[in-house]
Each structure stands twice: as structure tokens, then as C-alpha cells.
């Protein structure tokens, strides 16, 4: 089990692993005994959908690795946070 206050190794892979390595790392953890909780299964689906949306966003707006910002979609779409600050 993960230490109190930390996510499981599976959760870390879902949220922080590079996209090209994420599926293989997840499978490796599951193969070696990691137990996926309902929340982690939901998060996996959410992460997959987010990755797809990111690919679409990059194809629409172009991709320049020198200027890439993973939170830029909020600026491109004009999304404002509850505080009114972008």
C-alpha cells in the first residue's frame, strides 16, 4: 500500500507518466499485482480522453515544442476560472 498522503504507484503512472509510456507502465504494474481501485479505473478513462483532446488541440493550434504549455487550452478557449483570473 502507498504511504498515507501519497497516491499509489498506479495513480502516479496514470497522472504523471509520459503519454507514450503510460499504457505499458500501467500494464506492467497490473501484471505484477497492482490492484486498480474504482477511482483509478475512472481516472484511467479520464486520462485517456484528456490525452485525445490534447492531440486535437495541438493539431488545431499547431505544435511548437519551444512554446508548448499543457494548460494553454484554457487560454485558447477563453476559459476563465471562478476567480476571474486566467
Amino acid at each position: 500500500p502507498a504511504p498515507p498522503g501519497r497516491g499509489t504507484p498506479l495513480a502516479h503512472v496514470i497522472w504523471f507518466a509520459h503519454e507514450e509510456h503510460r499504457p505499458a507502465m500501467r500494464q506492467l504494474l497490473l501484471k505484477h499485482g497492482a490492484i486498480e481501485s474504482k477511482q483509478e479505473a475512472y481516472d484511467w478513462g479520464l486520462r485517456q480522453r484528456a490525452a485525445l483532446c490534447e492531440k486535437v488541440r495541438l493539431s488545431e493550434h499547431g505544435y511548437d515544442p519551444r512554446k508548448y504549455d499543457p494548460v494553454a487550452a484554457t487560454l485558447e478557449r477563453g476559459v476563465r476560472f471562478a476567480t476571474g483570473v486566467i
Side-chain angles (χ1 to χ4, degrees), residues 6-49:
R6 285 198 54 174
T8 65
L10 193 53
H12 281 259
V13 165
I14 291 170
W15 291 112
F16 302 116
H18 193 278
E19 182 180 353
E20 67 185 65
H21 304 295
R22 196 176 301 126
M25 291 174 73
R26 177 179 173 267
Q27 284 301 93
L28 188 62
L29 286 170
L30 292 172
K31 179 181 175 183
H32 289 279
I35 298 171
E36 187 173 57
S37 69
K38 287 182 182 180
Q39 182 63 48
E40 288 167 334
Y42 174 80
D43 289 347
W44 175 248
L46 181 65
R47 189 67 185 96
Q48 294 297 94
R49 291 187 300 278

Side-chain angles (χ1 to χ4, degrees), residues 51-84:
L52 177 62
C53 289
E54 183 67 359
K55 285 180 185 178
V56 170
R57 184 184 77 80
L58 291 175
S59 70
E60 286 180 359
H61 295 281
Y63 174 69
D64 182 349
R66 297 167 296 169
K67 297 178 182 178
Y68 178 69
D69 180 2
V71 296
T74 56
L75 298 174
E76 292 162 1
R77 302 283 186 215
V79 175
R80 294 193 174 270
F81 295 103
T83 61

